[in-house]
């Protein structure tokens, strides 16, 4: 019996290719790419003081471009290629058509699709790190930092945790779609780099209000909806597990946002829009290690935890621990990604369902992948505690790796070019750094500042009204 013409095998459609899986994986990769550009570009540009809007957006845009070039030049093979060491693959190019058109190491998709999908994951990791460095890092230093950190940190985490030959992968660590490799890494690396770069100007740090909260919500919305590709692409197939991962992602995120909003309203008297966005982000991050391997009710539990514990560390603990308050992290990447990512990894070790891990890892018996709760329920207590221990080991490895490597990179870059902008550049912002101004139609002297509650860490908000009566002079924030 002959196949329909659209299913016939040819050079473009080899027998191993699943067209549905490939189409979804390309779509998922594009969604993740849109989380970065324009998602985080818009989010960063609108959440900072107006004099840093261009610099913040450009740091994200540059990182996306530089990572993709480095990714195909050497970094993809270091992350997923032939084993060089137990924690790293051999560097090699990913540009030859023979390689790109052959079957990927997982799934029924070509290497070209896998390279792009994993590349946008690597890119968003560097962009998240940028969130800790906004408003003072020398752009030349950032230009050097990006390829160095990708090469010596990200590739090690990715190979160790995601590559089948990686040592943590062999131990059985569960990181469904990047809670460790992306979010924990970005949170720790960003915090470490922020320590070495130093804080913003005192006046900028004290009064660093968003320049456009409505636009910030547009960026946040792109980030949230793009997570359908982020977690939905984890199984590398159009499967029931992919559907479960997407649903769990959105249920957890909604729960986390509402939890954060209620805590803000209870403790500060008003619900905060910026707080809601932070709760959204912690929910997205916390569910990522377990999106397709936990029950729907577990996603709600994870959402309650991700909306409360990071809220406490950010709004209460951050001010009580001197070291945390000394390190200047404008977008609170440490709390929203390092803390939330660690919580997600631990909760995965408790709530991972053996049946779902079998579906995800395509193994007949999930000896290594059983959450503690199910280990206790099924009489496999040792296996459950072992899984939790492996999850904790993964956290420890990622934290230590990123503290050490990020510190070394900052030292190296600082020896070549200054890590910080000069005082004059810090005072002027975008005009001094890039010769451009984001909001060139309105003069500062036309603004009257009115104080309310609204910022990431403290309880003061600044909104702006225009003293002029002309409607064309009005800028919404």
């Amino acid at each position: 019996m002959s196949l329909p013409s659209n299913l016939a095998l040819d050079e473009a459609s080899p027998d191993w290719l699943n067209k549905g899986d490939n189409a979804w994986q390309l779509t998922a990769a594009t969604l993740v790419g849109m989380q970065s550009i324009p998602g985080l570009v818009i989010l960063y540009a609108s959440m900072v003081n107006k004099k840093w809007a261009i610099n913040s957006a450009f740091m994200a845009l540059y990182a996306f471009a530089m990572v993709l070039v480095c990714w195909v030049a050497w970094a993809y093979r270091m992350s997923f290629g032939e084993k060089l060491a137990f924690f790293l693959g051999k560097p090699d190019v990913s540009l030859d058509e023979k390689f790109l058109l052959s079957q990927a190491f997982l799934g029924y998709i070509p290497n070209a699709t896998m390279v792009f999908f994993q590349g946008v994951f690597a890119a968003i990791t560097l962009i998240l790190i940028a969130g800790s460095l906004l408003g003072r890092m020398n752009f030349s230093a950032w230009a050097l930092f990006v390829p160095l950190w990708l090469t010596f940190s990200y590739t090690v985490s990715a190979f160790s945790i995601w590559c089948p030959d990686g040592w943590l992968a062999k131990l059985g660590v569960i990181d469904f779609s990047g809670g460790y490799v992306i979010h924990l890494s970005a949170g720790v690396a960003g915090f470490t780099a922020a320590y070495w770069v130093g804080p913003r100007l005192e006046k900028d740090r004290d009064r660093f209000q968003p320049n456009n909260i409505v636009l910030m919500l547009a960026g946040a919305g792109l980030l949230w909806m793009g997570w359908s590709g982020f977690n939905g692409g984890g199984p590398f197939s159009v499967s029931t597990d992919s559907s479960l991962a997407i649903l769990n992602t959105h249920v957890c995120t909604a729960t986390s946002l509402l939890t954060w909003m209620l805590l803000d309203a209870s403790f500060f008297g008003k619900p905060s829009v910026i707080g809601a966005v932070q709760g959204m982000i912690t929910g997205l991050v916390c569910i990522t290690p377990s999106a397709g391997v936990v029950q729907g009710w577990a996603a709600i539990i994870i959402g309650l935890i991700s909306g409360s514990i990071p809220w406490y560390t950010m709004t209460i603990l951050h001010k009580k621990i001197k070291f945390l308050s000394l390190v200047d992290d404008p977008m609170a990447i440490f709390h929203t990604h390092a803390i939330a990512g660690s919580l997600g990894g631990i909760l995965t070790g408790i709530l991972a369902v053996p049946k779902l891990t079998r579906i995800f890892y395509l193994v007949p018996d999930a000896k290594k992948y059983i959450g503690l709760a199910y280990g206790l329920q099924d009489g496999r207590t040792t296996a459950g505690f072992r899984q939790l221990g492996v999850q904790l080991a993964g956290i420890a490895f990622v934290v230590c790796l990123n503290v050490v490597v990020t510190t070394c990179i900052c030292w190296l870059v600082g020896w070549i070019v200054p890590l910080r902008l000069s005082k004059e550049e810090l005072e002027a912002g975008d005009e001094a750094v890039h010769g451009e101004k984001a909001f060139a139609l309105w003069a500062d002297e036309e603004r009257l500042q009115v104080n309310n509650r609204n910022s990431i860490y403290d309880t003061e908000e600044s909104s702006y009204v225009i003293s002029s009566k002309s409607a064309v002079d009005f800028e919404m924030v």
Side-chain angles (χ1 to χ4, degrees):
M1 182 179 70
S2 60
L3 293 172
S5 59
N6 65 310
L7 297 178
L9 301 180
D10 54 37
E11 282 190 290
S13 301
D15 57 0
W16 51 261
L17 178 66
N18 186 310
K19 293 184 177 180
D21 290 350
N22 194 42
W24 164 240
Q25 213 62 37
L26 288 169
T27 302
T30 303
L31 287 171
V32 176
M34 291 182 68
Q35 289 182 292
S36 296
I37 49 172
L40 286 173
V41 168
I42 294 173
L43 189 68
Y44 286 176
S46 56
M47 284 190 76
V48 299
N49 187 286
K50 65 183 178 68
K51 76 174 185 178
W52 291 112
I54 290 175
N55 181 257
S56 301
F58 197 20
M59 285 179 72
L61 186 65
Y62 162 80
F64 191 88
M66 175 56 77
V67 167
L68 289 186
V69 172
C70 296
W71 193 245
V72 297
W74 66 81
Y76 173 77
R77 295 288 192 97
M78 292 178 69
S79 302
F80 299 99
E82 184 181 349
K83 182 178 178 181
L84 176 65
F86 67 94
F87 58 87
L88 191 64
K90 293 181 180 179
D92 200 354
V93 296
S94 302
L95 294 169
D96 181 71
E97 58 88 13
K98 183 177 180 181
F99 170 75
L100 293 175
L101 299 185
S102 60
Q103 186 175 4
F105 69 96
L106 287 175
Y108 301 99
I109 59 176
N111 275 316
T113 300
M114 182 65 81
V115 170
F116 179 53
F117 181 77
Q118 297 293 352
V120 292
F121 271 69
I124 199 172
T125 309
L126 268 300
I127 294 172
L128 292 173
I129 293 174
S132 296
L133 305 170
L134 301 179
R136 81 276 200 188
M137 190 172 189
N138 183 0
F139 195 84
S140 297
W142 176 243
L144 295 174
F145 179 92
V146 169
L148 289 170
W149 191 89
L150 173 72
T151 303
F152 295 106
S153 182
Y154 185 87
T155 58
V156 175
S157 295
F159 186 90
S160 298
I161 294 173
W162 277 344
C163 183
D165 289 329
W167 71 280
L168 280 168
K170 290 182 177 180
L171 284 177
V173 69
I174 303 174
D175 185 10
F176 186 86
S177 204
Y180 286 2
V181 177
I182 296 170
H183 301 295
L184 179 56
S185 293
V188 175
F191 190 79
T192 304
Y195 171 80
W196 292 111
V197 173
R200 291 163 288 172
L201 292 176
E202 193 65 31
K203 65 177 183 179
D204 282 349
R205 194 174 181 185
D206 291 340
R207 311 200 65 79
F208 205 68
Q209 294 81 20
N211 63 76
N212 195 318
I213 292 179
V214 173
L215 192 61
M216 175 197 74
L217 290 176
L222 285 167
L223 193 65
W224 185 348
M225 290 300 103
W227 228 280
S228 290
F230 199 105
N231 287 347
F236 304 113
S237 65
V238 183
S239 65
T240 55
D241 197 35
S242 181
S243 298
L244 177 65
I246 292 173
L247 179 61
N248 280 346
T249 295
H250 294 294
V251 169
C252 176
T253 302
T255 304
S256 182
L257 184 154
L258 294 173
T259 301
W260 196 294
M261 184 188 73
L262 289 173
L263 288 170
D264 271 349
S266 299
F267 282 83
F268 301 120
K270 296 179 182 178
S272 165
V273 176
I274 293 180
V277 171
Q278 299 297 336
M280 176 203 83
I281 294 172
T282 56
L284 291 167
V285 170
C286 201
I287 193 63
T288 294
S290 63
V293 297
V294 296
Q295 302 269 19
W297 57 262
I300 292 180
I301 293 175
I302 293 172
L304 291 170
I305 293 173
S306 66
S308 55
I309 292 181
W311 177 90
Y312 175 77
T313 64
M314 185 187 298
T315 60
I316 308 297
L317 202 61
H318 184 90
K319 297 176 182 178
K320 292 184 177 181
I321 299 178
K322 186 176 181 180
F323 181 69
L324 288 179
S325 59
L326 285 176
V327 178
D328 186 11
D329 182 7
M331 297 292 108
I333 301 297
F334 177 76
H335 298 283
T336 57
H337 293 270
I339 299 297
S342 297
L343 286 172
I346 294 170
L347 292 169
T348 301
I350 297 172
L351 299 171
V353 183
K355 176 184 176 181
L356 297 178
T357 57
R358 288 199 304 271
I359 293 173
F360 176 58
Y361 288 103
L362 300 175
V363 292
D365 183 20
K367 294 180 180 179
K368 293 187 295 187
Y369 309 108
I370 177 170
L372 178 59
Y374 292 90
L376 295 173
Q377 182 184 53
D378 300 339
R380 301 171 61 185
T381 305
T382 302
F385 275 108
R386 181 190 180 280
Q387 186 63 56
L388 183 58
V390 171
Q391 298 299 115
L392 292 171
I395 293 172
F397 172 73
V398 172
V399 170
C400 293
L401 170 69
N402 282 282
V403 169
V404 173
V405 173
T406 305
T407 295
C408 292
I409 291 173
C410 286
W411 286 349
L412 175 61
V413 172
W415 181 71
I416 300 172
V417 297
L419 286 175
R420 289 174 60 81
L421 295 167
S422 66
K423 186 176 180 180
E424 292 74 19
E425 289 171 320
L426 290 173
E427 291 281 357
D430 289 338
E431 287 186 274
V433 180
H434 301 290
E436 297 166 314
K437 193 174 181 181
F439 305 102
L441 299 179
W442 300 277
D444 291 338
E445 59 267 19
E446 290 179 304
R447 305 180 187 281
L448 176 65
Q449 184 168 297
V450 181
N451 287 327
N452 280 310
R453 176 180 176 274
N454 194 352
S455 72
I456 292 177
Y457 289 118
D458 42 30
T459 57
E460 290 296 319
E461 171 189 21
S462 287
S463 56
Y464 297 87
V465 296
I466 307 301
S467 56
S468 171
K469 299 292 185 179
S470 174
V472 296
D473 289 334
F474 178 77
E475 177 187 355
M476 182 181 294
V477 296

